[in-house]
Amino acid sequence: MTAPTPSGIGYRELWAADPGAWRLAGTAWSGTAALVQRRGGELATGAAGLREAWSGRAAGTADARLGGLRTELLAGRPGLIEADQVLAEFGGRLAVARARLSAAVALADRSGVQVDRGGRVSAGPARPATPGTGRAAAEVAAAIGAALDVARAADREAAGRLAELSGAAGAGWAAAPPPGRPRPGATPAAVRSWWAALTPAQRRWLVAHEPERIGCLDGVPVAARDQANRLLLGRHREELLGARRRLLGRVPPGPVELVGLRRVEAALAGLDAVTARLAAPEGPRAYLLGLATQGEGRAVVALGNPDRSGPVLTYVPGMTAGLDDVSGELDRAARVLSRCASRAPEEEAAAVLWLDYDAPDFLHEAAWPGQAGDAGRALHRFQEGLSVTHDGPDARRTVLGHSYGSLVVGATARDHGLAADALVFLGSPGVGVDHARELGLPPGGVWASTAPDDVIRLARSPEELLRRPLLAASPLGAAVALLDGPDRQLWFGRDPADPGFGGHTFPSGRYGHTGYWHPDNPALDGVARVVLGR
């Protein structure tokens, strides 16, 4: 299919523009990439069957030709994904421009100022011209102009990116392998400098030929990581299906095989959920920044492009989070984005689900801080990577941890530092410090909320449990002592929602430990306000 080419945008064109149509156009290009992947797989299967039934010089020539055709077919996949990115981002920025235009027209209505069909502003015919109406008209005209500036800048950029992409396709995606690679352990800033020195053709070569390296490299821009990780989806699926065949081949399967089979099935379900969200035409475009299927599985998925957004949220889930639960965790991130959009439709925001650590599966694991400490270096590097790859004015970055995830966030900030403007702790058992100043953020950057009926309130520190005489008296006395004691020491430090912690708080309704994202919970508004910084 041929994607529409952005055209010049004026007042009338912006009102008539359909951002969703551009999003759908992008989805069609990404669907073509998936089709190409399937056809490449069919070629590989056919070639394998041919090798089994045919031998000799002619067979070798045919096999080489089929391999070459498959290589040529698959070479364009990164470009197809890139076209999807360009069109989806153009649609997103058009939506922001339209929201700003709507706000300008609403301001005109409130001010009694008239805006004609061409976007020209004047005092209403029933109102005499006064200094006040003149100022109002000027304010409305400036707001309309700012909205059109956003749309026109998006128009120019998208047209330029599509033209460059078309030129690369016409050249056959040809490029020589770039010299040198970042050394192991290189900082995200060093990686970013290395990437910036490459030509577009060299970057595309790396995405196409070394996706496993590029997809997980902090400091590489989000768009390139997304392209690389999408290319690996088929490989992940084949590995899981192969593991399932091996496990089912053991007759009868033993306990070890049954446990392994359950993990494989859970990973396949999680992979299906990720793939479905990547292909979804509705909502913000998803960017795949990391995926692993070993063990409980890991995933890093952004809704919206963090490199091009103003407010950016990184959400770290807690206990039991794994690849099989990625759909529910992404829904939570999406609810925050939706609430941000309702409060500030003129802002282009992004939310990242960061599930790149081994979350505890059981209470006895969650009682120890080891897994949170193990996650710290990776979370620190990820936030540093977002910082150095961001395009345009500085973003406002917020990191949110829920339950055990709040300990991950707190321990990372304490031990490594976090590139963030705000931290949010929801339903926290403690964050590894006793005061907000130990987290290394500016004053006013630490927020927390705990629901009145959240069972996490019972997670008091071992020392406090031992010294409370009521604990041995009766179960009722223990509950009263735990809930109403003046010293809010939780299992991993002082309650961040306690005034003595030194941070800020916002209220939560009675929605339990997992209800902070409920649409009627004021906590969801609180999170959105922090993410937006207002």
mmCIF file of all heavy atoms in Angstrom, residues 311-317 350 352 354 379-380 382-384 386 396-402 405-410 412-413 417-426 431 439 441 445-448 506 527 530-531:
data_model
loop_
_atom_site.group_PDB
_atom_site.id
_atom_site.type_symbol
_atom_site.label_atom_id
_atom_site.label_comp_id
_atom_site.label_asym_id
_atom_site.label_seq_id
_atom_site.Cartn_x
_atom_site.Cartn_y
_atom_site.Cartn_z
ATOM 1 N N PRO A 311 6.105 14.759 29.176
ATOM 2 C CA PRO A 311 6.073 13.943 30.383
ATOM 3 C C PRO A 311 6.303 12.467 30.044
ATOM 4 O O PRO A 311 5.711 11.942 29.099
ATOM 5 C CB PRO A 311 4.643 14.160 30.916
ATOM 6 C CG PRO A 311 4.071 15.287 30.116
ATOM 7 C CD PRO A 311 4.779 15.279 28.812
ATOM 8 N N VAL A 312 7.186 11.803 30.788
ATOM 9 C CA VAL A 312 7.488 10.383 30.570
ATOM 10 C C VAL A 312 7.430 9.667 31.907
ATOM 11 O O VAL A 312 8.134 10.034 32.856
ATOM 12 C CB VAL A 312 8.884 10.192 29.933
ATOM 13 C CG1 VAL A 312 9.196 8.712 29.787
ATOM 14 C CG2 VAL A 312 8.955 10.882 28.581
ATOM 15 N N LEU A 313 6.595 8.634 31.977
ATOM 16 C CA LEU A 313 6.466 7.815 33.182
ATOM 17 C C LEU A 313 7.149 6.476 32.964
ATOM 18 O O LEU A 313 6.963 5.844 31.923
ATOM 19 C CB LEU A 313 4.985 7.582 33.497
ATOM 20 C CG LEU A 313 4.678 6.535 34.586
ATOM 21 C CD1 LEU A 313 5.114 7.045 35.955
ATOM 22 C CD2 LEU A 313 3.211 6.151 34.584
ATOM 23 N N THR A 314 7.937 6.037 33.940
ATOM 24 C CA THR A 314 8.454 4.671 33.978
ATOM 25 C C THR A 314 7.791 3.959 35.146
ATOM 26 O O THR A 314 7.918 4.394 36.291
ATOM 27 C CB THR A 314 9.983 4.646 34.147
ATOM 28 O OG1 THR A 314 10.594 5.340 33.056
ATOM 29 C CG2 THR A 314 10.501 3.218 34.183
ATOM 30 N N TYR A 315 7.075 2.895 34.857
ATOM 31 C CA TYR A 315 6.313 2.160 35.878
ATOM 32 C C TYR A 315 7.000 0.833 36.178
ATOM 33 O O TYR A 315 7.222 0.020 35.284
ATOM 34 C CB TYR A 315 4.877 1.947 35.390
ATOM 35 C CG TYR A 315 4.119 0.859 36.112
ATOM 36 C CD1 TYR A 315 4.083 0.815 37.509
ATOM 37 C CD2 TYR A 315 3.423 -0.125 35.399
ATOM 38 C CE1 TYR A 315 3.385 -0.191 38.169
ATOM 39 C CE2 TYR A 315 2.726 -1.125 36.052
ATOM 40 C CZ TYR A 315 2.721 -1.159 37.433
ATOM 41 O OH TYR A 315 2.038 -2.155 38.088
ATOM 42 N N VAL A 316 7.331 0.609 37.452
ATOM 43 C CA VAL A 316 7.982 -0.614 37.906
ATOM 44 C C VAL A 316 6.984 -1.410 38.743
ATOM 45 O O VAL A 316 6.636 -1.000 39.851
ATOM 46 C CB VAL A 316 9.241 -0.305 38.743
ATOM 47 C CG1 VAL A 316 9.935 -1.608 39.146
ATOM 48 C CG2 VAL A 316 10.201 0.595 37.970
ATOM 49 N N PRO A 317 6.483 -2.537 38.238
ATOM 50 C CA PRO A 317 5.515 -3.333 39.002
ATOM 51 C C PRO A 317 6.187 -4.126 40.110
ATOM 52 O O PRO A 317 7.417 -4.189 40.192
ATOM 53 C CB PRO A 317 4.900 -4.241 37.947
ATOM 54 C CG PRO A 317 5.975 -4.401 36.929
ATOM 55 C CD PRO A 317 6.750 -3.107 36.916
ATOM 56 N N ALA A 350 4.228 9.836 27.410
ATOM 57 C CA ALA A 350 4.546 8.428 27.182
ATOM 58 C C ALA A 350 4.659 7.732 28.528
ATOM 59 O O ALA A 350 5.002 8.355 29.540
ATOM 60 C CB ALA A 350 5.849 8.276 26.399
ATOM 61 N N VAL A 352 6.172 3.965 30.210
ATOM 62 C CA VAL A 352 6.976 2.765 29.982
ATOM 63 C C VAL A 352 6.691 1.756 31.083
ATOM 64 O O VAL A 352 6.781 2.085 32.277
ATOM 65 C CB VAL A 352 8.485 3.088 29.978
ATOM 66 C CG1 VAL A 352 9.294 1.840 29.653
ATOM 67 C CG2 VAL A 352 8.805 4.210 29.007
ATOM 68 N N TRP A 354 8.388 -1.008 32.861
ATOM 69 C CA TRP A 354 9.747 -1.523 33.023
ATOM 70 C C TRP A 354 9.682 -2.780 33.880
ATOM 71 O O TRP A 354 9.621 -2.717 35.111
ATOM 72 C CB TRP A 354 10.658 -0.487 33.668
ATOM 73 C CG TRP A 354 12.116 -0.877 33.643
ATOM 74 C CD1 TRP A 354 13.008 -0.672 32.643
ATOM 75 C CD2 TRP A 354 12.845 -1.563 34.676
ATOM 76 N NE1 TRP A 354 14.237 -1.193 32.971
ATOM 77 C CE2 TRP A 354 14.169 -1.742 34.219
ATOM 78 C CE3 TRP A 354 12.501 -2.043 35.941
ATOM 79 C CZ2 TRP A 354 15.145 -2.369 34.983
ATOM 80 C CZ3 TRP A 354 13.477 -2.683 36.701
ATOM 81 C CH2 TRP A 354 14.795 -2.835 36.226
ATOM 82 N N LEU A 379 17.873 -0.595 36.168
ATOM 83 C CA LEU A 379 16.923 0.521 36.166
ATOM 84 C C LEU A 379 17.655 1.852 36.064
ATOM 85 O O LEU A 379 17.215 2.764 35.346
ATOM 86 C CB LEU A 379 16.059 0.479 37.431
ATOM 87 C CG LEU A 379 15.025 1.599 37.568
ATOM 88 C CD1 LEU A 379 14.075 1.633 36.382
ATOM 89 C CD2 LEU A 379 14.240 1.443 38.875
ATOM 90 N N HIS A 380 18.780 1.967 36.758
ATOM 91 C CA HIS A 380 19.585 3.186 36.661
ATOM 92 C C HIS A 380 20.032 3.427 35.211
ATOM 93 O O HIS A 380 19.885 4.539 34.683
ATOM 94 C CB HIS A 380 20.803 3.062 37.565
ATOM 95 C CG HIS A 380 21.884 4.066 37.286
ATOM 96 N ND1 HIS A 380 21.818 5.363 37.735
ATOM 97 C CD2 HIS A 380 23.052 3.962 36.589
ATOM 98 C CE1 HIS A 380 22.895 6.021 37.321
ATOM 99 N NE2 HIS A 380 23.654 5.198 36.629
ATOM 100 N N PHE A 382 18.718 2.263 32.472
ATOM 101 C CA PHE A 382 17.583 2.529 31.591
ATOM 102 C C PHE A 382 17.177 3.996 31.659
ATOM 103 O O PHE A 382 16.956 4.642 30.623
ATOM 104 C CB PHE A 382 16.402 1.635 31.973
ATOM 105 C CG PHE A 382 15.188 1.878 31.124
ATOM 106 C CD1 PHE A 382 15.141 1.417 29.823
ATOM 107 C CD2 PHE A 382 14.110 2.596 31.613
ATOM 108 C CE1 PHE A 382 14.024 1.652 29.017
ATOM 109 C CE2 PHE A 382 12.997 2.838 30.824
ATOM 110 C CZ PHE A 382 12.953 2.366 29.524
ATOM 111 N N GLN A 383 17.076 4.538 32.872
ATOM 112 C CA GLN A 383 16.692 5.946 32.999
ATOM 113 C C GLN A 383 17.757 6.865 32.419
ATOM 114 O O GLN A 383 17.446 7.887 31.802
ATOM 115 C CB GLN A 383 16.424 6.287 34.468
ATOM 116 C CG GLN A 383 15.118 5.742 35.014
ATOM 117 C CD GLN A 383 13.905 6.311 34.299
ATOM 118 O OE1 GLN A 383 13.143 5.590 33.682
ATOM 119 N NE2 GLN A 383 13.711 7.623 34.403
ATOM 120 N N GLU A 384 19.018 6.512 32.605
ATOM 121 C CA GLU A 384 20.087 7.296 31.983
ATOM 122 C C GLU A 384 19.958 7.260 30.465
ATOM 123 O O GLU A 384 20.174 8.269 29.785
ATOM 124 C CB GLU A 384 21.452 6.747 32.403
ATOM 125 C CG GLU A 384 21.810 6.986 33.863
ATOM 126 C CD GLU A 384 22.037 8.450 34.177
ATOM 127 O OE1 GLU A 384 22.637 9.159 33.335
ATOM 128 O OE2 GLU A 384 21.612 8.886 35.254
ATOM 129 N N LEU A 386 17.168 6.887 28.700
ATOM 130 C CA LEU A 386 16.079 7.779 28.304
ATOM 131 C C LEU A 386 16.523 9.233 28.331
ATOM 132 O O LEU A 386 16.106 10.040 27.489
ATOM 133 C CB LEU A 386 14.878 7.593 29.230
ATOM 134 C CG LEU A 386 14.098 6.282 29.142
ATOM 135 C CD1 LEU A 386 12.883 6.343 30.052
ATOM 136 C CD2 LEU A 386 13.671 5.976 27.709
ATOM 137 N N ARG A 396 9.994 15.732 31.360
ATOM 138 C CA ARG A 396 9.753 15.568 32.787
ATOM 139 C C ARG A 396 9.612 14.065 33.027
ATOM 140 O O ARG A 396 8.648 13.429 32.575
ATOM 141 C CB ARG A 396 8.498 16.293 33.248
ATOM 142 C CG ARG A 396 8.160 15.993 34.718
ATOM 143 C CD ARG A 396 6.973 16.766 35.231
ATOM 144 N NE ARG A 396 6.556 16.284 36.539
ATOM 145 C CZ ARG A 396 7.126 16.602 37.693
ATOM 146 N NH1 ARG A 396 8.157 17.436 37.696
ATOM 147 N NH2 ARG A 396 6.691 16.118 38.841
ATOM 148 N N ARG A 397 10.561 13.457 33.724
ATOM 149 C CA ARG A 397 10.588 12.018 33.928
ATOM 150 C C ARG A 397 10.146 11.671 35.346
ATOM 151 O O ARG A 397 10.664 12.216 36.322
ATOM 152 C CB ARG A 397 11.986 11.463 33.656
ATOM 153 C CG ARG A 397 12.328 11.377 32.175
ATOM 154 C CD ARG A 397 13.732 10.870 31.940
ATOM 155 N NE ARG A 397 14.715 11.879 32.320
ATOM 156 C CZ ARG A 397 15.138 12.846 31.518
ATOM 157 N NH1 ARG A 397 14.651 12.941 30.298
ATOM 158 N NH2 ARG A 397 16.024 13.720 31.921
ATOM 159 N N THR A 398 9.198 10.742 35.425
ATOM 160 C CA THR A 398 8.678 10.246 36.693
ATOM 161 C C THR A 398 8.862 8.744 36.738
ATOM 162 O O THR A 398 8.594 8.051 35.747
ATOM 163 C CB THR A 398 7.181 10.581 36.838
ATOM 164 O OG1 THR A 398 6.996 11.992 36.763
ATOM 165 C CG2 THR A 398 6.630 10.071 38.160
ATOM 166 N N VAL A 399 9.319 8.219 37.858
ATOM 167 C CA VAL A 399 9.445 6.775 38.052
ATOM 168 C C VAL A 399 8.486 6.364 39.156
ATOM 169 O O VAL A 399 8.548 6.899 40.271
ATOM 170 C CB VAL A 399 10.882 6.362 38.406
ATOM 171 C CG1 VAL A 399 10.984 4.842 38.501
ATOM 172 C CG2 VAL A 399 11.863 6.879 37.362
ATOM 173 N N LEU A 400 7.607 5.426 38.845
ATOM 174 C CA LEU A 400 6.578 4.963 39.785
ATOM 175 C C LEU A 400 6.837 3.515 40.147
ATOM 176 O O LEU A 400 7.019 2.671 39.261
ATOM 177 C CB LEU A 400 5.197 5.114 39.143
ATOM 178 C CG LEU A 400 3.954 4.763 39.969
ATOM 179 C CD1 LEU A 400 2.735 5.491 39.409
ATOM 180 C CD2 LEU A 400 3.654 3.257 39.988
ATOM 181 N N GLY A 401 6.841 3.216 41.434
ATOM 182 C CA GLY A 401 6.967 1.847 41.896
ATOM 183 C C GLY A 401 5.752 1.446 42.706
ATOM 184 O O GLY A 401 5.315 2.185 43.590
ATOM 185 N N HIS A 402 5.200 0.288 42.404
ATOM 186 C CA HIS A 402 4.048 -0.226 43.150
ATOM 187 C C HIS A 402 4.467 -1.443 43.960
ATOM 188 O O HIS A 402 5.179 -2.322 43.458
ATOM 189 C CB HIS A 402 2.924 -0.623 42.189
ATOM 190 C CG HIS A 402 1.780 -1.326 42.866
ATOM 191 N ND1 HIS A 402 1.388 -2.600 42.536
ATOM 192 C CD2 HIS A 402 0.956 -0.912 43.865
ATOM 193 C CE1 HIS A 402 0.362 -2.954 43.299
ATOM 194 N NE2 HIS A 402 0.087 -1.955 44.108
ATOM 195 N N GLY A 405 7.795 -3.121 43.825
ATOM 196 C CA GLY A 405 8.422 -2.238 42.849
ATOM 197 C C GLY A 405 8.839 -0.907 43.438
ATOM 198 O O GLY A 405 9.785 -0.265 42.956
ATOM 199 N N SER A 406 8.145 -0.461 44.499
ATOM 200 C CA SER A 406 8.551 0.786 45.152
ATOM 201 C C SER A 406 9.898 0.619 45.845
ATOM 202 O O SER A 406 10.695 1.561 45.904
ATOM 203 C CB SER A 406 7.480 1.237 46.152
ATOM 204 O OG SER A 406 7.414 0.374 47.277
ATOM 205 N N LEU A 407 10.170 -0.587 46.366
ATOM 206 C CA LEU A 407 11.492 -0.848 46.956
ATOM 207 C C LEU A 407 12.563 -0.856 45.865
ATOM 208 O O LEU A 407 13.669 -0.348 46.072
ATOM 209 C CB LEU A 407 11.478 -2.183 47.693
ATOM 210 C CG LEU A 407 12.819 -2.612 48.302
ATOM 211 C CD1 LEU A 407 13.281 -1.616 49.368
ATOM 212 C CD2 LEU A 407 12.734 -4.023 48.879
ATOM 213 N N VAL A 408 12.233 -1.415 44.691
ATOM 214 C CA VAL A 408 13.173 -1.389 43.568
ATOM 215 C C VAL A 408 13.543 0.050 43.235
ATOM 216 O O VAL A 408 14.721 0.397 43.082
ATOM 217 C CB VAL A 408 12.560 -2.081 42.334
ATOM 218 C CG1 VAL A 408 13.474 -1.911 41.127
ATOM 219 C CG2 VAL A 408 12.324 -3.561 42.608
ATOM 220 N N VAL A 409 12.535 0.920 43.129
ATOM 221 C CA VAL A 409 12.773 2.322 42.786
ATOM 222 C C VAL A 409 13.578 3.015 43.879
ATOM 223 O O VAL A 409 14.559 3.725 43.604
ATOM 224 C CB VAL A 409 11.437 3.049 42.533
ATOM 225 C CG1 VAL A 409 11.663 4.540 42.319
ATOM 226 C CG2 VAL A 409 10.726 2.439 41.331
ATOM 227 N N GLY A 410 13.171 2.827 45.138
ATOM 228 C CA GLY A 410 13.864 3.487 46.239
ATOM 229 C C GLY A 410 15.302 3.026 46.383
ATOM 230 O O GLY A 410 16.217 3.842 46.567
ATOM 231 N N THR A 412 17.213 1.747 44.092
ATOM 232 C CA THR A 412 17.989 2.231 42.950
ATOM 233 C C THR A 412 18.377 3.690 43.140
ATOM 234 O O THR A 412 19.529 4.084 42.907
ATOM 235 C CB THR A 412 17.191 2.063 41.649
ATOM 236 O OG1 THR A 412 16.844 0.688 41.478
ATOM 237 C CG2 THR A 412 18.000 2.536 40.457
ATOM 238 N N ALA A 413 17.408 4.511 43.549
ATOM 239 C CA ALA A 413 17.706 5.928 43.780
ATOM 240 C C ALA A 413 18.759 6.091 44.871
ATOM 241 O O ALA A 413 19.657 6.934 44.765
ATOM 242 C CB ALA A 413 16.420 6.666 44.161
ATOM 243 N N GLY A 417 21.341 6.251 42.023
ATOM 244 C CA GLY A 417 20.790 7.485 41.482
ATOM 245 C C GLY A 417 19.835 7.188 40.343
ATOM 246 O O GLY A 417 19.969 6.179 39.644
ATOM 247 N N LEU A 418 18.846 8.047 40.181
ATOM 248 C CA LEU A 418 17.869 7.880 39.112
ATOM 249 C C LEU A 418 17.709 9.193 38.361
ATOM 250 O O LEU A 418 17.518 10.246 38.978
ATOM 251 C CB LEU A 418 16.504 7.459 39.682
ATOM 252 C CG LEU A 418 16.260 5.958 39.859
ATOM 253 C CD1 LEU A 418 14.924 5.717 40.556
ATOM 254 C CD2 LEU A 418 16.291 5.237 38.515
ATOM 255 N N ALA A 419 17.772 9.124 37.040
ATOM 256 C CA ALA A 419 17.521 10.298 36.209
ATOM 257 C C ALA A 419 16.018 10.522 36.168
ATOM 258 O O ALA A 419 15.318 10.027 35.287
ATOM 259 C CB ALA A 419 18.074 10.080 34.805
ATOM 260 N N ALA A 420 15.510 11.230 37.167
ATOM 261 C CA ALA A 420 14.067 11.451 37.302
ATOM 262 C C ALA A 420 13.826 12.775 37.997
ATOM 263 O O ALA A 420 14.646 13.238 38.795
ATOM 264 C CB ALA A 420 13.417 10.312 38.091
ATOM 265 N N ASP A 421 12.688 13.364 37.669
ATOM 266 C CA ASP A 421 12.253 14.590 38.335
ATOM 267 C C ASP A 421 11.332 14.292 39.503
ATOM 268 O O ASP A 421 11.167 15.135 40.390
ATOM 269 C CB ASP A 421 11.526 15.493 37.330
ATOM 270 C CG ASP A 421 12.418 15.879 36.171
ATOM 271 O OD1 ASP A 421 13.313 16.724 36.370
ATOM 272 O OD2 ASP A 421 12.231 15.331 35.069
ATOM 273 N N ALA A 422 10.707 13.112 39.491
ATOM 274 C CA ALA A 422 9.780 12.756 40.562
ATOM 275 C C ALA A 422 9.763 11.244 40.721
ATOM 276 O O ALA A 422 9.934 10.493 39.752
ATOM 277 C CB ALA A 422 8.375 13.274 40.253
ATOM 278 N N LEU A 423 9.558 10.806 41.948
ATOM 279 C CA LEU A 423 9.338 9.403 42.273
ATOM 280 C C LEU A 423 7.961 9.281 42.902
ATOM 281 O O LEU A 423 7.558 10.127 43.706
ATOM 282 C CB LEU A 423 10.395 8.879 43.245
ATOM 283 C CG LEU A 423 11.866 9.029 42.852
ATOM 284 C CD1 LEU A 423 12.759 8.437 43.944
ATOM 285 C CD2 LEU A 423 12.150 8.367 41.523
ATOM 286 N N VAL A 424 7.249 8.216 42.560
ATOM 287 C CA VAL A 424 5.930 7.954 43.127
ATOM 288 C C VAL A 424 5.924 6.547 43.690
ATOM 289 O O VAL A 424 6.306 5.590 42.994
ATOM 290 C CB VAL A 424 4.821 8.109 42.068
ATOM 291 C CG1 VAL A 424 3.455 7.789 42.688
ATOM 292 C CG2 VAL A 424 4.811 9.514 41.486
ATOM 293 N N PHE A 425 5.471 6.405 44.932
ATOM 294 C CA PHE A 425 5.382 5.099 45.585
ATOM 295 C C PHE A 425 3.919 4.810 45.908
ATOM 296 O O PHE A 425 3.276 5.575 46.624
ATOM 297 C CB PHE A 425 6.212 5.079 46.872
ATOM 298 C CG PHE A 425 7.658 5.454 46.669
ATOM 299 C CD1 PHE A 425 8.202 6.563 47.323
ATOM 300 C CD2 PHE A 425 8.475 4.721 45.839
ATOM 301 C CE1 PHE A 425 9.531 6.924 47.150
ATOM 302 C CE2 PHE A 425 9.810 5.073 45.648
ATOM 303 C CZ PHE A 425 10.341 6.173 46.304
ATOM 304 N N LEU A 426 3.403 3.697 45.389
ATOM 305 C CA LEU A 426 2.028 3.296 45.640
ATOM 306 C C LEU A 426 2.010 1.972 46.395
ATOM 307 O O LEU A 426 2.686 1.011 45.988
ATOM 308 C CB LEU A 426 1.257 3.127 44.323
ATOM 309 C CG LEU A 426 1.098 4.366 43.441
ATOM 310 C CD1 LEU A 426 0.348 4.004 42.167
ATOM 311 C CD2 LEU A 426 0.373 5.476 44.188
ATOM 312 N N VAL A 431 10.769 1.812 51.211
ATOM 313 C CA VAL A 431 11.574 2.002 49.994
ATOM 314 C C VAL A 431 13.073 1.938 50.271
ATOM 315 O O VAL A 431 13.878 2.351 49.447
ATOM 316 C CB VAL A 431 11.203 3.343 49.317
ATOM 317 C CG1 VAL A 431 9.736 3.328 48.915
ATOM 318 C CG2 VAL A 431 11.511 4.540 50.200
ATOM 319 N N LEU A 439 16.944 9.907 48.928
ATOM 320 C CA LEU A 439 16.688 9.410 47.579
ATOM 321 C C LEU A 439 17.368 10.239 46.501
ATOM 322 O O LEU A 439 17.334 9.880 45.322
ATOM 323 C CB LEU A 439 15.179 9.356 47.327
ATOM 324 C CG LEU A 439 14.425 8.378 48.234
ATOM 325 C CD1 LEU A 439 12.921 8.558 48.074
ATOM 326 C CD2 LEU A 439 14.818 6.937 47.927
ATOM 327 N N LEU A 441 16.687 13.228 45.214
ATOM 328 C CA LEU A 441 15.891 14.070 44.331
ATOM 329 C C LEU A 441 15.729 15.458 44.918
ATOM 330 O O LEU A 441 15.865 15.649 46.133
ATOM 331 C CB LEU A 441 14.508 13.457 44.088
ATOM 332 C CG LEU A 441 14.384 12.691 42.767
ATOM 333 C CD1 LEU A 441 15.210 11.425 42.830
ATOM 334 C CD2 LEU A 441 12.930 12.362 42.484
ATOM 335 N N GLY A 445 10.088 16.320 45.026
ATOM 336 C CA GLY A 445 10.077 15.310 43.976
ATOM 337 C C GLY A 445 9.664 13.930 44.418
ATOM 338 O O GLY A 445 9.688 13.001 43.610
ATOM 339 N N VAL A 446 9.285 13.757 45.686
ATOM 340 C CA VAL A 446 8.941 12.430 46.202
ATOM 341 C C VAL A 446 7.473 12.430 46.629
ATOM 342 O O VAL A 446 7.052 13.257 47.439
ATOM 343 C CB VAL A 446 9.849 12.045 47.386
ATOM 344 C CG1 VAL A 446 9.447 10.676 47.938
ATOM 345 C CG2 VAL A 446 11.310 12.038 46.952
ATOM 346 N N TRP A 447 6.707 11.476 46.077
ATOM 347 C CA TRP A 447 5.270 11.388 46.333
ATOM 348 C C TRP A 447 4.900 9.957 46.708
ATOM 349 O O TRP A 447 5.557 9.010 46.276
ATOM 350 C CB TRP A 447 4.482 11.792 45.087
ATOM 351 C CG TRP A 447 4.641 13.237 44.721
ATOM 352 C CD1 TRP A 447 5.677 13.819 44.068
ATOM 353 C CD2 TRP A 447 3.720 14.286 45.019
ATOM 354 N NE1 TRP A 447 5.475 15.160 43.924
ATOM 355 C CE2 TRP A 447 4.270 15.478 44.495
ATOM 356 C CE3 TRP A 447 2.479 14.340 45.656
ATOM 357 C CZ2 TRP A 447 3.624 16.706 44.604
ATOM 358 C CZ3 TRP A 447 1.823 15.553 45.759
ATOM 359 C CH2 TRP A 447 2.399 16.718 45.243
ATOM 360 N N ALA A 448 3.833 9.822 47.505
ATOM 361 C CA ALA A 448 3.392 8.488 47.907
ATOM 362 C C ALA A 448 1.900 8.501 48.208
ATOM 363 O O ALA A 448 1.319 9.536 48.534
ATOM 364 C CB ALA A 448 4.164 8.005 49.130
ATOM 365 N N PHE A 506 -0.708 12.078 48.174
ATOM 366 C CA PHE A 506 -2.023 12.360 47.609
ATOM 367 C C PHE A 506 -2.946 11.227 48.041
ATOM 368 O O PHE A 506 -2.501 10.117 48.346
ATOM 369 C CB PHE A 506 -1.968 12.500 46.083
ATOM 370 C CG PHE A 506 -1.266 11.388 45.357
ATOM 371 C CD1 PHE A 506 -1.935 10.206 45.030
ATOM 372 C CD2 PHE A 506 0.058 11.516 44.969
ATOM 373 C CE1 PHE A 506 -1.298 9.191 44.356
ATOM 374 C CE2 PHE A 506 0.714 10.500 44.284
ATOM 375 C CZ PHE A 506 0.024 9.333 43.984
ATOM 376 N N VAL A 527 -1.497 10.501 40.525
ATOM 377 C CA VAL A 527 -0.367 10.070 39.708
ATOM 378 C C VAL A 527 -0.256 10.939 38.457
ATOM 379 O O VAL A 527 0.836 11.392 38.085
ATOM 380 C CB VAL A 527 -0.517 8.582 39.327
ATOM 381 C CG1 VAL A 527 0.566 8.187 38.324
ATOM 382 C CG2 VAL A 527 -0.431 7.696 40.561
ATOM 383 N N VAL A 530 1.294 14.311 39.116
ATOM 384 C CA VAL A 530 2.748 14.252 39.302
ATOM 385 C C VAL A 530 3.445 14.070 37.955
ATOM 386 O O VAL A 530 4.454 14.725 37.665
ATOM 387 C CB VAL A 530 3.122 13.107 40.265
ATOM 388 C CG1 VAL A 530 4.644 12.984 40.377
ATOM 389 C CG2 VAL A 530 2.517 13.345 41.645
ATOM 390 N N VAL A 531 2.914 13.173 37.119
ATOM 391 C CA VAL A 531 3.531 12.925 35.809
ATOM 392 C C VAL A 531 3.557 14.206 34.981
ATOM 393 O O VAL A 531 4.557 14.529 34.326
ATOM 394 C CB VAL A 531 2.771 11.803 35.070
ATOM 395 C CG1 VAL A 531 3.249 11.693 33.623
ATOM 396 C CG2 VAL A 531 2.957 10.471 35.788
#
